[in-house]
Amino acid sequence: MAFLDYLQPARDLFYKENDPGRAEAELRPLMTRPGEIEEKRGIHELMGLILRKQRRYEEAFRLYDNLEDHYQAGYCAMLQGNLQLVQVQWTRVLNMRPNHWCVSLYGMITQQLRTYPTLFQIRNHVESDIANLIEANQYPFLENLLQFVDFMTQLNLEAPKFVGRALLNSGWLDRSGPYLLKGQRSLPNDPEIYFHLGQYSMAQKHYPEARLMLKQCLMISPCYTPATDLLNQIPESAAS
């Protein structure tokens, strides 16, 4: 059996069924399985994600530290609130990659930003970072990061949309709205922002406004299927 065939059941349980407990049970026997270095690394990296999902950050930190994955080890330390350990791990990252995203992330969560993250770094990281900070209850770090949204918008006009979407998907409905509206002002012709505003209005049961936002999304992009699906979920009895 190929390596990926051994790994796939755990991956399916984790990614498709969102069941980290069963994924861990499936993966544990593979941790001691003989194999190539890259195979072992793949198993351990997946286990790190599973442990993080269960908020077992100390265990995940040790696993990543043993792999010498200093970015992920430092990330786990951040989710524990241990800035001293973050510095130790991310300094090692920056010795090899001086412009790594971690230098900007650290600067924002500590309000000591001295760098300019790239458009792609903001696109690739900020949304998941917000979700992870919320999940780890690291609210001071989160609030510090949110103070840099206007700054990030100068570098990537989609930044407020990413932030608003992360807050919305994390259940922070009241906090998400202002950022989504900022996203609309930044990119008024982006169909995706109207879809998220539709989601926001739907969550508040403001159905006429939701219908308006979703129709605006479809006016810009008629093939935006998620907007059509959500529009069809609006109760027929809702006022137009």
Side-chain angles (χ1 to χ4, degrees), residues 143-167:
E143 296 299 339
N144 287 346
L145 187 153
L146 292 177
Q147 292 187 36
F148 289 91
V149 174
D150 289 342
F151 169 75
M152 287 190 286
T153 304
Q154 298 176 48
L155 306 171
N156 185 329
L157 291 175
E158 292 185 285
K161 177 180 70 177
F162 299 145
V163 172
R165 181 166 61 199
L167 294 170

PDB file of all heavy atoms in Angstrom, residues 143-167:
ATOM      1  N   GLU A 143      -6.914  41.785  19.134  1.00  0.00           N
ATOM      2  CA  GLU A 143      -7.262  43.209  19.108  1.00  0.00           C
ATOM      3  C   GLU A 143      -6.085  44.036  18.593  1.00  0.00           C
ATOM      4  O   GLU A 143      -6.283  45.025  17.859  1.00  0.00           O
ATOM      5  CB  GLU A 143      -7.680  43.678  20.497  1.00  0.00           C
ATOM      6  CG  GLU A 143      -8.950  43.009  21.029  1.00  0.00           C
ATOM      7  CD  GLU A 143     -10.181  43.273  20.157  1.00  0.00           C
ATOM      8  OE1 GLU A 143     -10.190  44.255  19.397  1.00  0.00           O
ATOM      9  OE2 GLU A 143     -11.128  42.474  20.232  1.00  0.00           O
ATOM     10  N   ASN A 144      -4.878  43.660  18.958  1.00  0.00           N
ATOM     11  CA  ASN A 144      -3.707  44.370  18.435  1.00  0.00           C
ATOM     12  C   ASN A 144      -3.617  44.227  16.919  1.00  0.00           C
ATOM     13  O   ASN A 144      -3.347  45.202  16.209  1.00  0.00           O
ATOM     14  CB  ASN A 144      -2.432  43.835  19.082  1.00  0.00           C
ATOM     15  CG  ASN A 144      -2.288  44.263  20.527  1.00  0.00           C
ATOM     16  OD1 ASN A 144      -2.986  45.172  20.995  1.00  0.00           O
ATOM     17  ND2 ASN A 144      -1.390  43.625  21.259  1.00  0.00           N
ATOM     18  N   LEU A 145      -3.842  43.021  16.426  1.00  0.00           N
ATOM     19  CA  LEU A 145      -3.785  42.786  14.977  1.00  0.00           C
ATOM     20  C   LEU A 145      -4.850  43.609  14.249  1.00  0.00           C
ATOM     21  O   LEU A 145      -4.574  44.196  13.189  1.00  0.00           O
ATOM     22  CB  LEU A 145      -3.948  41.298  14.693  1.00  0.00           C
ATOM     23  CG  LEU A 145      -3.749  40.833  13.250  1.00  0.00           C
ATOM     24  CD1 LEU A 145      -3.291  39.374  13.226  1.00  0.00           C
ATOM     25  CD2 LEU A 145      -5.012  40.956  12.412  1.00  0.00           C
ATOM     26  N   LEU A 146      -6.049  43.671  14.820  1.00  0.00           N
ATOM     27  CA  LEU A 146      -7.143  44.390  14.150  1.00  0.00           C
ATOM     28  C   LEU A 146      -6.868  45.879  14.018  1.00  0.00           C
ATOM     29  O   LEU A 146      -7.436  46.540  13.139  1.00  0.00           O
ATOM     30  CB  LEU A 146      -8.454  44.165  14.904  1.00  0.00           C
ATOM     31  CG  LEU A 146      -9.011  42.739  14.862  1.00  0.00           C
ATOM     32  CD1 LEU A 146     -10.278  42.630  15.705  1.00  0.00           C
ATOM     33  CD2 LEU A 146      -9.290  42.296  13.434  1.00  0.00           C
ATOM     34  N   GLN A 147      -5.990  46.403  14.851  1.00  0.00           N
ATOM     35  CA  GLN A 147      -5.648  47.822  14.744  1.00  0.00           C
ATOM     36  C   GLN A 147      -4.851  48.131  13.481  1.00  0.00           C
ATOM     37  O   GLN A 147      -4.698  49.297  13.111  1.00  0.00           O
ATOM     38  CB  GLN A 147      -4.869  48.266  15.982  1.00  0.00           C
ATOM     39  CG  GLN A 147      -5.708  48.272  17.257  1.00  0.00           C
ATOM     40  CD  GLN A 147      -4.969  48.868  18.430  1.00  0.00           C
ATOM     41  OE1 GLN A 147      -4.196  49.819  18.283  1.00  0.00           O
ATOM     42  NE2 GLN A 147      -5.181  48.315  19.621  1.00  0.00           N
ATOM     43  N   PHE A 148      -4.369  47.090  12.797  1.00  0.00           N
ATOM     44  CA  PHE A 148      -3.559  47.292  11.593  1.00  0.00           C
ATOM     45  C   PHE A 148      -4.342  47.027  10.306  1.00  0.00           C
ATOM     46  O   PHE A 148      -3.746  46.958   9.230  1.00  0.00           O
ATOM     47  CB  PHE A 148      -2.315  46.392  11.645  1.00  0.00           C
ATOM     48  CG  PHE A 148      -1.305  46.820  12.659  1.00  0.00           C
ATOM     49  CD1 PHE A 148      -1.343  46.314  13.951  1.00  0.00           C
ATOM     50  CD2 PHE A 148      -0.324  47.753  12.348  1.00  0.00           C
ATOM     51  CE1 PHE A 148      -0.419  46.702  14.903  1.00  0.00           C
ATOM     52  CE2 PHE A 148       0.604  48.165  13.288  1.00  0.00           C
ATOM     53  CZ  PHE A 148       0.558  47.643  14.576  1.00  0.00           C
ATOM     54  N   VAL A 149      -5.667  46.894  10.403  1.00  0.00           N
ATOM     55  CA  VAL A 149      -6.443  46.582   9.197  1.00  0.00           C
ATOM     56  C   VAL A 149      -6.338  47.712   8.175  1.00  0.00           C
ATOM     57  O   VAL A 149      -6.147  47.456   6.980  1.00  0.00           O
ATOM     58  CB  VAL A 149      -7.915  46.303   9.558  1.00  0.00           C
ATOM     59  CG1 VAL A 149      -8.743  46.131   8.285  1.00  0.00           C
ATOM     60  CG2 VAL A 149      -8.016  45.049  10.421  1.00  0.00           C
ATOM     61  N   ASP A 150      -6.449  48.953   8.620  1.00  0.00           N
ATOM     62  CA  ASP A 150      -6.345  50.070   7.672  1.00  0.00           C
ATOM     63  C   ASP A 150      -4.968  50.098   7.015  1.00  0.00           C
ATOM     64  O   ASP A 150      -4.854  50.375   5.811  1.00  0.00           O
ATOM     65  CB  ASP A 150      -6.620  51.400   8.373  1.00  0.00           C
ATOM     66  CG  ASP A 150      -8.088  51.573   8.747  1.00  0.00           C
ATOM     67  OD1 ASP A 150      -8.935  50.854   8.184  1.00  0.00           O
ATOM     68  OD2 ASP A 150      -8.386  52.420   9.616  1.00  0.00           O
ATOM     69  N   PHE A 151      -3.941  49.809   7.790  1.00  0.00           N
ATOM     70  CA  PHE A 151      -2.585  49.746   7.235  1.00  0.00           C
ATOM     71  C   PHE A 151      -2.490  48.641   6.195  1.00  0.00           C
ATOM     72  O   PHE A 151      -1.959  48.852   5.089  1.00  0.00           O
ATOM     73  CB  PHE A 151      -1.579  49.500   8.360  1.00  0.00           C
ATOM     74  CG  PHE A 151      -0.193  49.165   7.895  1.00  0.00           C
ATOM     75  CD1 PHE A 151       0.640  50.133   7.378  1.00  0.00           C
ATOM     76  CD2 PHE A 151       0.279  47.855   7.962  1.00  0.00           C
ATOM     77  CE1 PHE A 151       1.928  49.815   6.929  1.00  0.00           C
ATOM     78  CE2 PHE A 151       1.543  47.528   7.533  1.00  0.00           C
ATOM     79  CZ  PHE A 151       2.377  48.515   7.016  1.00  0.00           C
ATOM     80  N   MET A 152      -3.016  47.455   6.515  1.00  0.00           N
ATOM     81  CA  MET A 152      -2.947  46.347   5.574  1.00  0.00           C
ATOM     82  C   MET A 152      -3.764  46.641   4.309  1.00  0.00           C
ATOM     83  O   MET A 152      -3.416  46.178   3.218  1.00  0.00           O
ATOM     84  CB  MET A 152      -3.429  45.057   6.235  1.00  0.00           C
ATOM     85  CG  MET A 152      -2.450  44.481   7.238  1.00  0.00           C
ATOM     86  SD  MET A 152      -2.910  42.799   7.795  1.00  0.00           S
ATOM     87  CE  MET A 152      -4.295  43.178   8.866  1.00  0.00           C
ATOM     88  N   THR A 153      -4.842  47.420   4.451  1.00  0.00           N
ATOM     89  CA  THR A 153      -5.670  47.751   3.290  1.00  0.00           C
ATOM     90  C   THR A 153      -4.899  48.579   2.277  1.00  0.00           C
ATOM     91  O   THR A 153      -5.156  48.500   1.072  1.00  0.00           O
ATOM     92  CB  THR A 153      -6.937  48.494   3.747  1.00  0.00           C
ATOM     93  OG1 THR A 153      -7.637  47.699   4.707  1.00  0.00           O
ATOM     94  CG2 THR A 153      -7.873  48.775   2.573  1.00  0.00           C
ATOM     95  N   GLN A 154      -3.946  49.362   2.741  1.00  0.00           N
ATOM     96  CA  GLN A 154      -3.096  50.125   1.820  1.00  0.00           C
ATOM     97  C   GLN A 154      -2.223  49.201   0.972  1.00  0.00           C
ATOM     98  O   GLN A 154      -1.803  49.578  -0.131  1.00  0.00           O
ATOM     99  CB  GLN A 154      -2.209  51.094   2.601  1.00  0.00           C
ATOM    100  CG  GLN A 154      -2.972  52.142   3.388  1.00  0.00           C
ATOM    101  CD  GLN A 154      -2.038  53.016   4.212  1.00  0.00           C
ATOM    102  OE1 GLN A 154      -1.026  53.516   3.719  1.00  0.00           O
ATOM    103  NE2 GLN A 154      -2.365  53.185   5.480  1.00  0.00           N
ATOM    104  N   LEU A 155      -1.961  48.008   1.473  1.00  0.00           N
ATOM    105  CA  LEU A 155      -1.097  47.054   0.783  1.00  0.00           C
ATOM    106  C   LEU A 155      -1.897  46.004   0.018  1.00  0.00           C
ATOM    107  O   LEU A 155      -1.399  45.446  -0.961  1.00  0.00           O
ATOM    108  CB  LEU A 155      -0.183  46.357   1.801  1.00  0.00           C
ATOM    109  CG  LEU A 155       0.641  47.298   2.684  1.00  0.00           C
ATOM    110  CD1 LEU A 155       1.334  46.515   3.784  1.00  0.00           C
ATOM    111  CD2 LEU A 155       1.661  48.074   1.859  1.00  0.00           C
ATOM    112  N   ASN A 156      -3.121  45.742   0.476  1.00  0.00           N
ATOM    113  CA  ASN A 156      -3.998  44.772  -0.175  1.00  0.00           C
ATOM    114  C   ASN A 156      -5.432  45.214   0.078  1.00  0.00           C
ATOM    115  O   ASN A 156      -5.917  45.142   1.207  1.00  0.00           O
ATOM    116  CB  ASN A 156      -3.766  43.359   0.388  1.00  0.00           C
ATOM    117  CG  ASN A 156      -4.564  42.299  -0.348  1.00  0.00           C
ATOM    118  OD1 ASN A 156      -5.653  42.557  -0.846  1.00  0.00           O
ATOM    119  ND2 ASN A 156      -4.036  41.085  -0.424  1.00  0.00           N
ATOM    120  N   LEU A 157      -6.117  45.663  -0.978  1.00  0.00           N
ATOM    121  CA  LEU A 157      -7.463  46.206  -0.829  1.00  0.00           C
ATOM    122  C   LEU A 157      -8.471  45.167  -0.339  1.00  0.00           C
ATOM    123  O   LEU A 157      -9.562  45.525   0.112  1.00  0.00           O
ATOM    124  CB  LEU A 157      -7.940  46.794  -2.155  1.00  0.00           C
ATOM    125  CG  LEU A 157      -7.217  48.066  -2.623  1.00  0.00           C
ATOM    126  CD1 LEU A 157      -7.689  48.474  -4.013  1.00  0.00           C
ATOM    127  CD2 LEU A 157      -7.433  49.193  -1.632  1.00  0.00           C
ATOM    128  N   GLU A 158      -8.115  43.893  -0.413  1.00  0.00           N
ATOM    129  CA  GLU A 158      -9.013  42.850   0.074  1.00  0.00           C
ATOM    130  C   GLU A 158      -8.893  42.619   1.585  1.00  0.00           C
ATOM    131  O   GLU A 158      -9.674  41.850   2.150  1.00  0.00           O
ATOM    132  CB  GLU A 158      -8.744  41.526  -0.646  1.00  0.00           C
ATOM    133  CG  GLU A 158      -9.122  41.524  -2.117  1.00  0.00           C
ATOM    134  CD  GLU A 158      -8.953  40.152  -2.734  1.00  0.00           C
ATOM    135  OE1 GLU A 158      -7.796  39.759  -2.988  1.00  0.00           O
ATOM    136  OE2 GLU A 158      -9.978  39.481  -2.938  1.00  0.00           O
ATOM    137  N   ALA A 159      -7.954  43.269   2.245  1.00  0.00           N
ATOM    138  CA  ALA A 159      -7.699  43.000   3.665  1.00  0.00           C
ATOM    139  C   ALA A 159      -8.953  43.098   4.533  1.00  0.00           C
ATOM    140  O   ALA A 159      -9.215  42.191   5.333  1.00  0.00           O
ATOM    141  CB  ALA A 159      -6.598  43.920   4.186  1.00  0.00           C
ATOM    142  N   PRO A 160      -9.762  44.166   4.442  1.00  0.00           N
ATOM    143  CA  PRO A 160     -10.946  44.210   5.308  1.00  0.00           C
ATOM    144  C   PRO A 160     -11.939  43.098   5.016  1.00  0.00           C
ATOM    145  O   PRO A 160     -12.632  42.635   5.928  1.00  0.00           O
ATOM    146  CB  PRO A 160     -11.539  45.596   5.040  1.00  0.00           C
ATOM    147  CG  PRO A 160     -10.933  46.066   3.772  1.00  0.00           C
ATOM    148  CD  PRO A 160      -9.594  45.407   3.678  1.00  0.00           C
ATOM    149  N   LYS A 161     -12.006  42.644   3.767  1.00  0.00           N
ATOM    150  CA  LYS A 161     -12.877  41.512   3.450  1.00  0.00           C
ATOM    151  C   LYS A 161     -12.380  40.261   4.140  1.00  0.00           C
ATOM    152  O   LYS A 161     -13.179  39.506   4.724  1.00  0.00           O
ATOM    153  CB  LYS A 161     -12.933  41.291   1.933  1.00  0.00           C
ATOM    154  CG  LYS A 161     -13.768  40.082   1.522  1.00  0.00           C
ATOM    155  CD  LYS A 161     -13.808  39.890   0.011  1.00  0.00           C
ATOM    156  CE  LYS A 161     -12.485  39.450  -0.553  1.00  0.00           C
ATOM    157  NZ  LYS A 161     -12.554  39.189  -2.013  1.00  0.00           N
ATOM    158  N   PHE A 162     -11.076  40.012   4.092  1.00  0.00           N
ATOM    159  CA  PHE A 162     -10.516  38.832   4.756  1.00  0.00           C
ATOM    160  C   PHE A 162     -10.809  38.870   6.257  1.00  0.00           C
ATOM    161  O   PHE A 162     -11.186  37.864   6.854  1.00  0.00           O
ATOM    162  CB  PHE A 162      -9.007  38.754   4.543  1.00  0.00           C
ATOM    163  CG  PHE A 162      -8.581  38.636   3.099  1.00  0.00           C
ATOM    164  CD1 PHE A 162      -7.409  39.240   2.659  1.00  0.00           C
ATOM    165  CD2 PHE A 162      -9.341  37.928   2.184  1.00  0.00           C
ATOM    166  CE1 PHE A 162      -7.004  39.129   1.342  1.00  0.00           C
ATOM    167  CE2 PHE A 162      -8.945  37.813   0.854  1.00  0.00           C
ATOM    168  CZ  PHE A 162      -7.774  38.420   0.431  1.00  0.00           C
ATOM    169  N   VAL A 163     -10.624  40.048   6.849  1.00  0.00           N
ATOM    170  CA  VAL A 163     -10.836  40.193   8.284  1.00  0.00           C
ATOM    171  C   VAL A 163     -12.315  39.998   8.629  1.00  0.00           C
ATOM    172  O   VAL A 163     -12.662  39.255   9.555  1.00  0.00           O
ATOM    173  CB  VAL A 163     -10.342  41.575   8.762  1.00  0.00           C
ATOM    174  CG1 VAL A 163     -10.736  41.818  10.211  1.00  0.00           C
ATOM    175  CG2 VAL A 163      -8.824  41.683   8.586  1.00  0.00           C
ATOM    176  N   GLY A 164     -13.192  40.669   7.871  1.00  0.00           N
ATOM    177  CA  GLY A 164     -14.618  40.537   8.129  1.00  0.00           C
ATOM    178  C   GLY A 164     -15.100  39.107   7.969  1.00  0.00           C
ATOM    179  O   GLY A 164     -15.911  38.619   8.772  1.00  0.00           O
ATOM    180  N   ARG A 165     -14.599  38.415   6.951  1.00  0.00           N
ATOM    181  CA  ARG A 165     -14.997  37.026   6.723  1.00  0.00           C
ATOM    182  C   ARG A 165     -14.522  36.116   7.854  1.00  0.00           C
ATOM    183  O   ARG A 165     -15.257  35.237   8.306  1.00  0.00           O
ATOM    184  CB  ARG A 165     -14.449  36.543   5.385  1.00  0.00           C
ATOM    185  CG  ARG A 165     -14.833  35.108   5.034  1.00  0.00           C
ATOM    186  CD  ARG A 165     -14.551  34.828   3.578  1.00  0.00           C
ATOM    187  NE  ARG A 165     -13.149  34.961   3.237  1.00  0.00           N
ATOM    188  CZ  ARG A 165     -12.694  35.134   1.990  1.00  0.00           C
ATOM    189  NH1 ARG A 165     -13.545  35.198   0.977  1.00  0.00           N
ATOM    190  NH2 ARG A 165     -11.395  35.234   1.749  1.00  0.00           N
ATOM    191  N   ALA A 166     -13.306  36.346   8.328  1.00  0.00           N
ATOM    192  CA  ALA A 166     -12.787  35.536   9.430  1.00  0.00           C
ATOM    193  C   ALA A 166     -13.628  35.729  10.687  1.00  0.00           C
ATOM    194  O   ALA A 166     -13.956  34.763  11.383  1.00  0.00           O
ATOM    195  CB  ALA A 166     -11.329  35.902   9.710  1.00  0.00           C
ATOM    196  N   LEU A 167     -13.972  36.965  10.981  1.00  0.00           N
ATOM    197  CA  LEU A 167     -14.790  37.243  12.159  1.00  0.00           C
ATOM    198  C   LEU A 167     -16.189  36.659  11.997  1.00  0.00           C
ATOM    199  O   LEU A 167     -16.754  36.092  12.939  1.00  0.00           O
ATOM    200  CB  LEU A 167     -14.866  38.754  12.390  1.00  0.00           C
ATOM    201  CG  LEU A 167     -13.540  39.437  12.774  1.00  0.00           C
ATOM    202  CD1 LEU A 167     -13.690  40.954  12.722  1.00  0.00           C
ATOM    203  CD2 LEU A 167     -13.082  38.999  14.157  1.00  0.00           C
TER     204      LEU A 167
END
